[in-house]
């Protein structure tokens, strides 16, 4: 299931140069499963055509108030009532002022008053307008009504100036929408997720590492935030940007990861170890780059790294522990063994030899093994979808634990 499946989103577009991003925003929302109905103000029509939005959304585009009257006759006035969200992007200074004062002189502002769905505004204008006390006061006023706002980006503006006022990228707005609409079944949970590889230095330029991209762990952190958890992400070296709303702590070695995990543990309710932590590290790291000289071979003595999950399990602080098992053979046997050894509540087993599973790729194929001996096999899914299913399982196990 896609994150926005079954959600009806009214997409209000107002007159501003950033309206050119509205079709892309609509496309992304639809790709994530939403049904999008675009509502354009008179000024928006100067920047974007209804035909573009109608083609992308496969829904009639609404532009004028009289349409609402006509729709009432054919029974569609319920749109603001049926909607799960009214998103206005871009939201001009003008529409923010109207919303702050409860004006309803066009279709969009009328719908804003008529709907009981959450309202999310993505302001976009010149930095001079954005900084004006009137605009700031109007934004404060709409926030008092319970409307949410997305912070505008800072950068080069259409007016030639540089400052705050840019419409955030459509992907960022979609992430805000998903945070707003996701079920909040992890509310109250404090989660530590680990992700990515660790790097164990041989000398200042060489490291011992593995092929983990961090995607699985980052998806778990992102989905947990959407579902209401407070999340600390302890990440080995990756190329990935920090997920929105996550406290990111970057580390290099297994030992640094262990230290960060232990430092974050106080108050943590769930530890999710998706990182591919090195099991061994060079016994010594040379202070200078090692010269190859005439050598044809090179032996390195390795020693064990700390086992982070085992260390946490031994402390017996009652965290709900989730481990991963990356295997190339005897998947279930190895996963059960790791589960016992590390006293886990749940283990996510991936056979990394299966196409589309494990390291680097966008997808994964996993089995969820719980402490009661149940096994759930998931098909090949996007890592974000895998993360959703893992959290579904964790949330269900946590609910069962609650008294009553
Ligand atoms: O990052 P991606 O490219 O998206 O790839 C995802 C993944 C393949 C890395 C992920 O799905 C995965 O399987 N992560 C765990 C990999 C691993 O190290 O498995 P393991 O079987 O060696 O370790 C078992 C568990 O103990 C893991 O939860 C691991 O984080 C933990 N561990 C391991 C070693 C160690 N020193 N300390 C640990 O806590």
């Amino acid at each position: 299931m896609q994150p926005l499946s079954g959600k009806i989103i009214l997409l209000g577009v107002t007159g501003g140069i950033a309206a050119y991003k509205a079709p892309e925003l609509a496309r992304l929302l639809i790709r994530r499963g939403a049904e999008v109905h675009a509502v354009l103000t008179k000024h928006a029509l100067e920047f974007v055509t209804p035909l573009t939005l109608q083609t992308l959304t496969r829904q009639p585009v609404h532009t004028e108030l009289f349409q609402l009257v006509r729709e009432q006759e054919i029974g569609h006035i319920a749109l603001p009532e049926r909607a799960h969200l009214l998103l206005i992007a871009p939201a001009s200074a003008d529409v923010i002022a109207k919303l702050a004062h409860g004006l309803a002189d066009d279709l969009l502002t009328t719908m804003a008053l008529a709907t009981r769905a959450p309202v999310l505004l993505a302001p976009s204008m010149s930095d001079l307008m954005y900084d004006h006390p009137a605009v700031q006061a109007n934004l404060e006023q709409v926030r008092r009504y319970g409307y949410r706002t997305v912070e505008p980006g800072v950068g080069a503006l259409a007016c030639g100036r540089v400052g705050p006022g840019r419409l955030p990228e459509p992907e960022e707005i979609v992430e805000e929408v998903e945070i707003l609409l996701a079920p909040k079944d992890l509310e109250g949970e404090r989660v530590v997720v680990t992700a990515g590889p660790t790097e164990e230095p041989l000398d200042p330029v060489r490291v011992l590492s593995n092929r983990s991209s961090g995607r699985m762990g980052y998806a778990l952190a992102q989905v947990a935030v959407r579902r209401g958890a407070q999340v600390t992400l302890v990440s080995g070296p990756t190329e990935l940007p920090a997920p929105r709303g996550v406290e990111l702590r970057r580390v290099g070695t297994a030992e640094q990861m262990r230290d960060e995990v232990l430092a974050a543990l106080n108050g943590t309710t769930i530890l999710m170890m998706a990182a591919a932590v090195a099991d061994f590290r060079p016994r010594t790291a040379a202070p200078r780059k090692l010269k190859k000289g005439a050598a044809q071979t090179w032996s390195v003595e390795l020693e064990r790294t700390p086992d982070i999950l085992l260390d946490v399990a031994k402390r017996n602080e009652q965290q709900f522990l989730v481990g991963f098992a990356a295997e190339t053979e005897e998947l279930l046997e190895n996963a059960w063994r790791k589960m016992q050894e590390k006293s886990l509540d749940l283990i996510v087993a991936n056979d990394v030899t299966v196409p589309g599973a494990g390291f680097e790729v966008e997808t994964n194929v996993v089995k969820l093994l719980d402490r009661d001996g149940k096994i759930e096999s998931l098909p090949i899914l996007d890592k974000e979808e895998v993360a959703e299913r893992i959290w579904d399982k964790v949330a269900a196990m946590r609910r069962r634990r609650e008294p009553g």
Side-chain angles (χ1 to χ4, degrees), residues 249-327:
R249 300 199 188 152
R250 292 197 184 274
V251 296
T253 64
E255 193 161 325
Q256 288 165 359
M257 185 171 277
R258 195 259 325 256
D259 292 348
E260 282 294 349
V261 168
L262 295 184
L265 215 53
N266 190 12
T268 290
T269 55
I270 303 172
L271 172 62
M272 175 80 71
M273 285 285 305
V277 187
D279 291 312
F280 290 92
R281 65 185 168 204
R283 187 178 283 280
T284 52
R288 297 212 165 68
K289 183 182 170 191
L290 293 160
K291 297 288 174 205
K292 60 182 173 296
Q296 295 301 313
T297 60
W298 181 13
S299 301
V300 179
E301 195 182 356
L302 302 177
E303 64 179 9
R304 289 295 293 265
T305 55
D307 191 315
I308 304 170
L309 261 178
L310 202 58
D311 281 1
V312 174
K314 280 187 191 147
R315 291 176 158 229
N316 200 14
E317 287 178 11
Q318 304 303 312
Q319 282 91 7
F320 187 95
L321 299 182
V322 186
F324 274 67
E327 305 295 339

Side-chain angles (χ1 to χ4, degrees), residues 212-214 216 273-275 306 308-309 324 338 342 350 360 383:
S212 169
S213 64
M216 191 65 249
M273 285 285 305
I308 304 170
L309 261 178
F324 274 67
K338 285 178 184 172
K342 304 190 184 196
N350 36 197
E360 292 169 321
K383 280 182 176 158

Side-chain angles (χ1 to χ4, degrees), residues 8 20 38 52 89 123 137-138 192 219 346 366 384:
I8 299 174
Y20 83 91
T52 309
N138 288 334
V192 173
L346 182 69
V366 304
E384 193 182 316

Side-chain angles (χ1 to χ4, degrees), residues 95-247:
V95 85
I96 295 167
K98 285 179 181 169
L99 295 174
H101 294 90
L103 297 188
D105 65 347
D106 64 5
L107 182 58
L108 180 58
T109 47
T110 305
M111 283 184 166
L113 289 186
T115 190
R116 290 297 169 264
V119 177
L120 179 63
L121 308 179
S124 167
M125 62 199 76
S126 99
D127 60 328
L128 293 174
M129 291 170 77
Y130 185 71
D131 284 339
H132 194 285
V135 172
Q136 288 303 317
N138 288 334
L139 279 169
E140 268 170 41
Q141 180 60 36
V142 295
R143 287 187 195 114
R144 275 197 288 273
Y145 297 149
Y147 295 4
R148 307 281 186 96
T149 55
V150 188
E151 279 296 299
V154 177
L157 301 165
C159 59
R161 297 173 52 85
V162 175
R166 279 171 72 95
L167 186 71
E169 290 311 311
E171 290 79 4
E172 291 172 51
I173 299 176
V174 171
E175 182 56 28
E176 276 309 321
V177 169
E178 290 183 5
I179 289 176
L180 204 65
L181 295 182
K184 296 291 175 273
D185 54 355
L186 296 176
E187 205 137 56
E189 300 285 12
R190 286 185 55 185
V191 174
V192 173
V193 178
T194 66
T198 60
E199 287 183 347
E200 310 300 327
L202 282 151
D203 67 18
V205 298
R206 301 179 180 96
V207 294
L208 208 61
S209 190
N210 61 64
R211 290 168 42 216
S212 169
S213 64
R215 286 200 181 100
M216 191 65 249
Y218 276 60
L220 283 158
Q222 187 162 29
V223 169
V225 166
R226 274 185 215 148
R227 291 169 70 156
Q230 193 180 323
V231 180
T232 302
L233 174 61
V234 182
S235 171
T238 74
E239 308 261 285
L240 303 173
R244 213 176 174 83
V246 157
E247 186 184 333

Side-chain angles (χ1 to χ4, degrees), residues 356-370:
F359 297 100
E360 292 169 321
V361 285
E362 304 272 353
T363 52
N364 208 352
V365 186
V366 304
K367 293 184 193 304
L368 310 184
L369 283 56
D370 72 24

